[in-house]
Amino acid sequence: MLPAAGEPAAGDSWGMLACLCAVLWHLPAVPALNRTGDPGPGPSIQKTYDLTRYLEHQLRSLAGTYLNYLGPPFNEPDFNPPRLGAETLPRATVNLDVWRSLNDKLRLTQNYEAYSHLLCYLRGLDRQAATAELRRSLAHFCTSLQGLLGSIAGVMAALGYPLPQPLPGTEPTRAPGPAHSDFLQKMDDFWLLKELQTWLWRSAKDFNRLKKKTQPPPAAVTLHLEAHGF
Amino acid sequence: MPAGRPGPAAQSARRPPPLLPLLLLCVLGAPRAGSGAHTAVISPQDPTLLIGSSLQATCSVHGDPSGATAEGLYWTLNGRRLAPELSRVLNASTLALALANLNGSRQQSGDNLVCHARDGSILAGSCLYVGLPPEKPFNISCWSKNMKDLTCRWTPGAHGETFLHTNYSLKYKLRWYGQDNTCEEYHTVGPHSCHIPKDLALFTPYEIWVEATNRLGSARSDVLTLDILDVVTTDPPPDVHVSRVGGLEDQLSVRWVSPPALKDFLFQAKYQIRYRVEDSVDWKVVDDVSNQTSCRLAGLKPGTVYFVQVRCNPFGIYGSKKAGIWSEWSHPTAASTPRSERPGPGGGACEPRGGEPSSGPVRRELKQFLGWLKKHAYCSNLSFRLYDQWRAWMQKSHKTRNQDEGILPSGRRGTTRG
């Protein structure tokens, strides 16, 4: 860390991220829930829903601390930098009609893939300079996010959907790229946290919708309350 | 967050199988600066500077069809707009900035210098790292728990801050075996500490030092030479029991067990006991409790709850000439002295098993008398134990007498003072 030493090329860090992504894809799938005699996917959907709320809460405090570490203007409430390198982040934002019309499998698959990617990027956050406490909070959040992934996998297995697998033959390669400046990295970090937040908001609604679908209808008159937008 | 059309990545994500394009993007690296969306560049990018130095920076707008020029651009530093007199337009597409006498960075991730377009949007940014090189760390102190590991603590140099992230690395090597090792587990007992969990050698001294590095330079502490056996500490004594001594209202008996981890090693343990009254914060310490596992506290206040703690020092382990390091205090154990009307003074030393309070000329004389008696008389059964039993009996009968009379004495009866 002596001065005037060159910083590692952006390609190295992205290559590493790609490697991590590939590793995550190859994680052993959560064993399928025993479907005989069990109460159905309801409880695990509820659990997943609860997890998204918990993670949302955890993220709020983590993001606050992290953005303070990045310093102003990143921690200012109306900060809205250009989205430059963040094109590869899975976007939670989606057209309302499109979102409503998603079938269960697609809905779950999108969630699973999104969090796999987001976890990958989170783990790649190279923040040597952050305090030990911040690094611990990040690690803790990653573990919780891993738990959410497992929970979603459980729901998918309970409903009989296959887990998304990476295509065979896709090898992670190191790609050369222009040097990624620290400021750009900060912007990437900002958008990662923002996208995580948006996904957790959206997932709560995804799982709420799934919960309603799998609930047995009550004997009395049913009132359908449609969720209007986000 | 705009709710408009999703980007190409998200669109392709909805068509099964959606993974290949996404994964490829992840693999090949995202479009970076220079993709066209980035319309300006700040120079220098992410510089490192000494506190008090100056910085000349430029923001160069790329060829932009909308005709953005250097006019209307402005700088912010950490979210605060910089005074216009610090900037000047160099040419049609470049805005320059001159900052002097820079202060240390506001956050260790670097100060955020941003070049904005006229409408406030961000065109480019650069992180400024302004600080000082590290100073020599000092005051390294280490201890070994039961000779199994080594924990070290140090004080960073720089009476204030370096303002930059400074990385500390604890290094160690055996004195006559040249290989340097680096400690891996940091922040175990505070921010400047490290723990070496295994593979420690005895009987040969270690050389230990700390290296501090940041963007502006590095510094190395003095080398500390130590022998593991000289810095041994152990667990606090387990099973500390505090109990009354019969009916004696000014004494409590403390018993403990020698720490089991070191019981197989030759050592003369030293112990220290401290005790305080329930509502007080002042501890009384009994020193010099050598190699025994019990002690009698005397001169205590009757009818009072006391908290007692014990700690251990593995003195002279394996022939080390030095004292070891005191263990942590054991968990406080509480006990109360029996009630009485007579107050007693505080003590400060252990009583031998016989049970002699520390002060009192009467008792001293009594002790001498009994010693003499033992030599010259036939009543070899006389002992302090007997004397204390007599005292306890005296108090009991004293109490019953008062109950009979129906009054509480004001407290100056009896022949013995604690």
Side-chain angles (χ1 to χ4, degrees):
Chain A
M1 284 233 306
L2 289 172
E7 291 187 33
D12 293 347
S13 49
W14 279 106
M16 211 147 50
L17 271 174
C19 192
L20 280 171
C21 281
V23 167
L24 262 181
W25 283 126
H26 286 290
L27 276 176
V30 171
L33 292 176
N34 186 1
R35 298 185 72 196
T36 54
D38 72 334
S44 52
I45 293 177
Q46 178 66 48
K47 188 182 115 185
T48 313
Y49 171 83
D50 292 337
L51 262 172
T52 63
R53 301 314 303 271
Y54 169 67
L55 274 162
E56 207 192 322
H57 168 80
Q58 221 188 321
L59 181 61
R60 220 172 296 143
S61 108
L62 172 65
T65 314
Y66 196 84
L67 292 176
N68 281 335
Y69 161 72
L70 295 184
F74 292 92
N75 57 356
E76 280 161 10
D78 51 356
F79 185 58
N80 189 19
R83 290 186 78 128
L84 301 171
E87 295 311 320
T88 52
L89 282 179
R91 286 212 192 181
T93 308
V94 68
N95 180 281
L96 177 61
D97 292 324
V98 167
W99 179 78
R100 270 176 165 178
S101 64
L102 285 174
N103 64 43
D104 292 350
K105 178 175 173 188
L106 209 48
R107 194 180 294 279
L108 285 164
T109 305
Q110 284 187 7
N111 269 272
Y112 188 87
E113 284 168 6
Y115 288 117
S116 299
H117 274 106
L118 291 168
L119 183 58
C120 200
Y121 289 126
L122 254 186
R123 285 192 173 140
L125 263 187
D126 173 22
R127 281 296 164 190
Q128 288 275 341
T131 61
E133 202 188 304
L134 189 53
R135 283 200 297 273
R136 262 197 294 270
S137 302
L138 267 169
H140 181 219
F141 188 81
C142 281
T143 310
S144 305
L145 199 54
Q146 182 71 64
L148 177 62
L149 262 178
S151 201
I152 299 175
V155 173
M156 291 182 81
L159 291 172
Y161 301 133
L163 271 187
Q165 294 292 327
L167 291 178
T170 48
E171 292 287 320
T173 54
R174 287 174 170 257
H180 194 31
S181 80
D182 290 353
F183 189 79
L184 284 175
Q185 183 66 62
K186 284 193 180 186
M187 290 211 286
D188 284 353
D189 294 351
F190 175 84
W191 281 117
L192 175 61
L193 291 172
K194 255 284 182 285
E195 204 58 65
L196 256 171
Q197 192 176 58
T198 315
W199 263 107
L200 288 168
W201 285 339
R202 170 179 153 173
S203 293
K205 301 199 171 11
D206 279 320
F207 285 96
N208 206 28
R209 200 176 178 82
L210 279 168
K211 198 165 54 164
K212 290 196 181 128
K213 276 179 140 193
T214 56
Q215 260 166 12
V221 173
T222 314
L223 273 176
H224 267 289
L225 295 167
E226 285 282 318
H228 288 285
F230 286 101
Chain B
M1 272 299 222
R5 291 189 51 88
Q11 264 180 331
S12 55
R14 282 204 297 287
R15 264 184 289 109
L19 302 150
L20 182 54
L22 260 178
L23 199 60
L24 273 179
L25 273 170
C26 184
V27 159
L28 296 176
R32 285 274 137 248
S35 67
H38 202 198
T39 54
V41 146
I42 293 182
S43 175
Q45 272 293 308
D46 309 335
T48 306
L49 303 147
L50 212 48
I51 286 186
S53 57
S54 312
L55 173 73
Q56 315 282 333
T58 57
C59 176
S60 300
V61 184
H62 291 333
D64 188 2
S66 69
T69 61
E71 301 287 337
L73 298 185
Y74 65 93
W75 298 95
T76 60
L77 182 63
N78 290 327
R80 281 230 196 101
R81 189 161 180 160
L82 292 175
E85 51 266 24
L86 298 170
S87 330
R88 63 195 176 91
V89 178
L90 275 187
N91 58 45
S93 59
T94 312
L95 180 70
L97 175 70
L99 290 174
N101 200 19
L102 290 165
N103 286 328
S105 282
R106 187 190 181 281
Q107 53 273 339
Q108 286 191 351
S109 63
D111 290 323
N112 300 312
L113 178 67
V114 181
C115 176
H116 297 259
R118 185 195 291 272
D119 62 357
S121 58
I122 292 178
L123 295 175
S126 178
C127 291
L128 308 182
Y129 300 94
V130 187
L132 298 164
E135 279 177 28
K136 219 165 89 155
F138 61 102
N139 223 9
I140 307 178
S141 73
C142 302
W143 61 92
S144 171
K145 189 93 177 287
N146 302 323
M147 298 181 293
K148 292 215 158 57
D149 63 9
L150 192 67
T151 307
C152 292
R153 242 200 314 230
W154 63 90
T155 311
H159 318 285
E161 255 216 74
T162 56
F163 299 95
L164 301 170
H165 169 68
T166 306
N167 193 39
Y168 292 91
S169 184
L170 183 94
K171 302 259 175 95
Y172 58 101
K173 77 186 223 323
L174 278 171
R175 190 179 238 175
W176 299 301
Y177 305 83
Q179 195 195 14
D180 282 6
N181 299 293
T182 309
C183 178
E184 318 253 293
E185 281 176 44
Y186 289 88
H187 318 295
T188 46
V189 286
H192 302 290
S193 62
C194 197
H195 177 240
I196 304 164
K198 55 187 178 135
D199 297 334
L200 286 165
L202 300 178
F203 312 117
T204 305
Y206 272 97
E207 293 183 346
I208 301 175
W209 67 98
V210 178
E211 290 175 7
T213 321
N214 70 19
R215 286 168 179 261
L216 279 172
S218 55
R220 203 202 216 221
S221 71
D222 291 332
V223 174
L224 171 73
T225 306
L226 62 72
D227 205 310
I228 301 282
L229 291 180
D230 289 338
V231 293
V232 180
T233 185
T234 185
D235 310 290
D239 297 336
V240 176
H241 290 296
V242 185
S243 49
R244 293 179 176 183
V245 183
L248 294 174
E249 84 277 13
D250 67 335
Q251 295 192 16
L252 284 174
S253 164
V254 188
R255 278 187 167 69
W256 60 89
V257 175
S258 138
L262 292 180
K263 69 171 161 47
D264 295 334
F265 304 101
L266 286 169
F267 72 118
Q268 319 141 283
K270 280 210 288 200
Y271 295 96
Q272 244 183 18
I273 304 172
R274 68 176 187 179
Y275 60 96
R276 67 172 170 86
V277 178
E278 186 174 19
D279 303 322
S280 161
V281 290
D282 299 320
W283 292 96
K284 284 218 176 63
V285 178
V286 180
D287 242 319
D288 285 330
V289 184
S290 290
N291 230 0
Q292 53 198 75
T293 54
S294 66
C295 172
R296 197 183 282 211
L297 305 173
L300 307 176
K301 276 199 273 202
T304 321
V305 175
Y306 280 89
F307 288 117
V308 181
Q309 291 178 298
V310 189
R311 67 178 181 175
C312 175
N313 184 323
F315 181 80
I317 193 161
Y318 270 142
S320 158
K321 304 256 184 324
K322 297 191 185 168
I325 295 177
W326 286 104
S327 72
E328 293 291 322
W329 290 103
S330 63
H331 290 306
T333 311
S336 63
T337 46
R339 282 191 173 284
S340 153
E341 299 80 33
R342 277 170 310 178
C350 276
E351 301 305 316
R353 283 280 181 77
E356 181 186 334
S358 55
S359 56
V362 175
R363 289 188 75 100
R364 234 178 278 131
E365 201 176 282
L366 203 52
K367 183 179 179 188
Q368 287 166 355
F369 173 62
L370 287 172
W372 180 89
L373 262 184
K374 265 203 178 98
K375 281 195 213 147
H376 297 95
Y378 287 103
C379 17
S380 52
N381 288 336
L382 275 183
S383 64
F384 257 89
R385 199 189 203 124
L386 219 52
Y387 171 66
D388 283 332
Q389 281 175 355
W390 171 78
R391 279 183 63 223
W393 175 84
M394 275 295 284
Q395 280 164 49
K396 257 197 218 141
S397 56
H398 176 80
K399 273 187 202 148
T400 10
R401 251 183 285 137
N402 285 336
Q403 275 165 11
D404 289 343
E405 288 172 24
I407 40 163
L408 286 168
S410 55
R412 235 51 59 64
R413 292 188 184 240
T415 51
T416 18
R417 226 185 67 89

